[in-house]
Amino acid sequence: MPVSAKPQQGHGASISFSSGFFAWITNISLTGIRRESLETTNMATTGARTFRGEILENYGEMRVSLQFNAATSIPIDSAAETITITWPIQDGGTVAPTWALSGFMTGFEVTADMNSIMTATATIKFSGTITITAGS
């Protein structure tokens, strides 16, 4: 299938948390999205082993790099909440695509360098499915 949309930059992407947690995002990385395989090989199989996809997907984790503000409360001990990723509006579009899902923070690392803006990396584990709303 040919790709019809031009590649686009990530500038303009944002993340919102239902708890109200906010940060200036500099990078979003979704990792570990996978669907495991289940072996279906049996004693009557010939030629090669056979497999099928597992019924449930694992949407993995999201690592978010951000500019750190020490006065901000970090929701590391919060229950799963709705997280919405708003992607940049595509060229010629008027509405940004979004992904909404449930997730909870599993890690938070801060870097404070003498000559740089303080930064942090948050790790969020996804739980359940992603609701994708296409942009237009």
Side-chain angles (χ1 to χ4, degrees), residues 58-86:
N58 176 350
Y59 285 102
E61 295 180 332
M62 174 174 61
R63 281 194 305 268
V64 180
S65 300
L66 49 101
Q67 294 175 346
F68 178 64
N69 178 344
T72 301
S73 178
I74 308 304
I76 190 70
D77 58 350
S78 296
E81 62 180 296
T82 300
I83 298 166
T84 303
I85 304 169
T86 302

Side-chain angles (χ1 to χ4, degrees), residues 6-73:
K6 291 190 279 184
Q8 60 188 120
Q9 291 182 299
H11 183 267
S14 64
I15 299 173
S16 62
F17 297 77
S18 60
S19 67
F21 175 71
F22 172 81
W24 292 105
I25 305 298
T26 59
N27 182 282
I28 301 169
S29 177
L30 280 70
T31 63
I33 299 172
R34 59 187 306 120
R35 180 178 177 203
E36 299 295 335
S37 62
L38 300 174
E39 186 167 1
T40 57
T41 307
N42 58 59
M43 297 298 256
T45 303
T46 60
R49 292 179 179 269
T50 58
F51 297 85
R52 72 168 180 86
E54 189 176 58
I55 294 170
L56 301 176
E57 301 86 10
N58 176 350
Y59 285 102
E61 295 180 332
M62 174 174 61
R63 281 194 305 268
V64 180
S65 300
L66 49 101
Q67 294 175 346
F68 178 64
N69 178 344
T72 301
S73 178

